[in-house]
Structure formats: structure tokens, C-alpha cells
Amino acid sequence: MVELKTDTSIDAMHAAGQVVGQALTAVRRAADVGVSLLELERVAREVLKGAGASSPFLGYRPSFAPTPFPAVICASVNDAIVHGIPTTYRLRDGDLLSVDCGAELDGWAGDSAISFTVGRPRASDVRLIETAERALAAGIEAAVVGCRIGDIAHAIGSVCRAAGYGVPQGFGGHGVGRRMHEDPPVPNEGRPGRGMRLRHGMVLAIEPMLIAGGTDGFHAAPDGWTLRTDDGSRAAHVEHTVAITDGGPRILTARQPLQEGPGAAPRSPAP
Ligand code: MG
Ligand code: MG
């Protein structure tokens, strides 16, 4: 069942989404060559704690998972698509990192993810991430009253496929509300004009996942959580929580642009 949110509830969800945005900004700022994924986990925990928010990730155990998720962020490196568990792994020059984070504040959830490179980026990763962001933007653009879930799915999938990337099947976006995962599912590929009609007050997490190698296959790593590409190529995952309103899509997890600083210096692509 899909719960429509009041404007007041959407404002409350925006507050939760802002905490997620702040956590992701802080993680991105802290991420650098030599920094461990567990250090990034601590950065995110501090932001959530400071905002009085809790984590919908911590202890989360969907049916496919062998153990409760042990962290407040997913940190997925290189061929990991989503659900990476933060470990002592230290980021290396040229790594591609996807970070997913959620927050619960005053009983409402937010969910968002970013992909970025560390150190000197590979040109192929820059293109992959840029395409992921375009797919997300296309999905959000289709998230308007009167359109259907299939229009969002088609918008996302078209951008990914046109660029030659794979799209893992069976994982995608979802409704968001008092819980992080609600109905309806929002697939990353689909037929336009199909599926549930979008109405004012629906709140959706839209989250393209792209596989650089162009194939769709993936598998769970031995930890039972991390999903890795079958072809070993790199993956990107970006996500926003978006409210569908009569005034157009409203991004509830929007982030401040990164300020210029030591962690945000321009970097030249590696050959
Ligand atoms: Mg997420
Ligand atoms: Mg999500």
C-alpha cells in the first residue's frame, strides 16, 4: 500500500533528508587516499548523532541478509555495486566509492547515495559517475504528477543503456516514509506509461545502479551483503529521496555543493 504524505509530513521528511545530505557531504570530504571505510562510518555516525537522528541501516535485516547490517553507511568500492560493509579497507588512488546513507528524524526517514572517485580518477569512472547522475536526474524529471512509475524506470534505464552500461535487475528504488523501504518499488528499467500513477504526496527513493562492463550480472560477496559485478567491472550508485508534488519533484536529500578546500582540490584524470 502506498501512503500519501501531507505537506507537513513532507517538510518533516525534508528535515530527515537534510541530515542524510550532511552526512554524505561530510563523508565525501573525509574520503581520501589512505582513509579507511570504518573512518568514514565514524564520520557519518557523528553527523547523525549531532543531528539527533538514528540510522535505519544499523541492524537492518531484509530477507536476503544473513546478518543484521552493522553500520550506518554502505561503502561500496570499485566492483561493489551496493550494500558494502565498512571495513578496515583503506582507500587507494583511483578507487571509485559509492556511499549510501539513511537517517530517521522525528519518525521520518531519508535515503540517499553518492558515487565519487578518490585520488586521481580514471576517465572511465568519471564517465560512469556522470552517467549515473544523468540517469538520476532523468528519473527525477519524470517524477511528476500524472506520470507513472514506469516512466521513471524508463527514463533511468534509457540513460544507462544508451551509454552502454549494465543495469542490475531486482534492486532499485522504493517508497520512503516512516520506514526507509515502503511501497511502491521503483525499478531502474521499465516500460513508459505502465505501473502506478504518480500523485501529490508520494515520496520515492530513486536510485540508479550502473555496471561499467555493460552486463547486468551480479553476485553476493562472502559477507552475504555486498553485491559485486559478475564481470569485475566497476559500478556506480546514486540516490535521492524525492517528493512528488503538484509543484513538481522536490528533492528532500539535496546537498550543499562541496566547498573548495584541501579535500576538494581539482584533480587531473589519470591516463
Ligand atoms: Mg539508499
Ligand atoms: Mg534506497
Side-chain angles (χ1 to χ4, degrees):
M1 204 186 95
V2 174
E3 185 206 347
L4 298 178
K5 279 77 180 179
T6 64
D7 292 349
T8 307
S9 299
I10 291 172
D11 286 342
M13 293 189 71
H14 183 234
Q18 292 301 102
V19 176
V20 179
Q22 288 158 12
L24 289 175
T25 298
V27 165
R28 180 166 188 175
R29 201 183 301 277
D32 210 341
V33 175
V35 174
S36 77
L37 302 180
L38 272 175
E39 285 163 359
L40 300 180
E41 162 74 11
R42 281 193 284 273
V43 166
R45 282 190 188 224
E46 281 301 309
V47 173
L48 296 190
K49 189 178 165 196
S54 58
S55 168
F57 286 26
L58 191 62
Y60 184 60
R61 190 176 180 183
S63 54
F64 65 80
T67 52
F69 196 75
V72 306
I73 59 170
C74 299
S76 306
V77 180
N78 296 338
D79 66 324
I81 309 166
V82 289
H83 302 165
I85 295 175
T87 62
T88 56
Y89 176 83
R90 291 188 180 280
L91 291 165
R92 297 175 187 166
D93 190 33
D95 275 351
L96 191 173
L97 177 62
S98 298
V99 179
D100 196 342
C101 184
E104 277 175 4
L105 186 70
D106 297 329
W108 294 101
D111 187 12
S112 183
I114 51 175
S115 284
F116 56 92
T117 55
V118 173
R120 290 166 298 172
R122 298 182 183 181
S124 54
D125 289 343
V126 173
R127 178 175 175 269
L128 179 69
I129 293 167
E130 186 264 339
T131 307
E133 289 170 348
R134 271 197 298 119
L136 176 58
I140 293 171
E141 200 174 317
V144 294
V145 172
C147 282
R148 293 179 182 269
I149 292 287
D151 294 311
I152 298 176
H154 178 72
I156 294 168
S158 299
V159 171
C160 302
R161 295 296 184 190
Y165 296 130
V167 179
Q169 306 294 307
F171 286 88
H174 48 88
V176 187
R178 293 211 171 264
R179 288 174 301 120
M180 176 175 61
H181 288 144
E182 295 188 348
D183 282 337
V186 185
N188 286 328
E189 225 171 9
R191 296 170 68 183
R194 298 297 180 95
M196 187 178 293
R197 197 176 284 281
L198 305 178
R199 295 169 62 190
H200 178 92
M202 287 175 70
V203 179
L204 305 175
I206 299 175
E207 48 181 313
M209 302 163 195
L210 290 71
I211 297 176
T215 60
D216 297 352
F218 62 92
H219 60 276
D223 65 23
W225 272 101
T226 313
L227 298 183
R228 296 191 181 281
T229 63
D230 280 350
D231 63 11
S233 71
R234 293 185 168 195
H237 171 226
V238 294
E239 175 181 26
H240 271 308
T241 300
V242 179
I244 289 150
T245 79
D246 290 328
R250 179 179 173 195
I251 301 174
L252 304 181
T253 45
R255 298 178 298 275
Q256 299 291 325
L258 272 191
Q259 301 295 311
E260 286 303 317
R267 291 165 172 137
S268 54

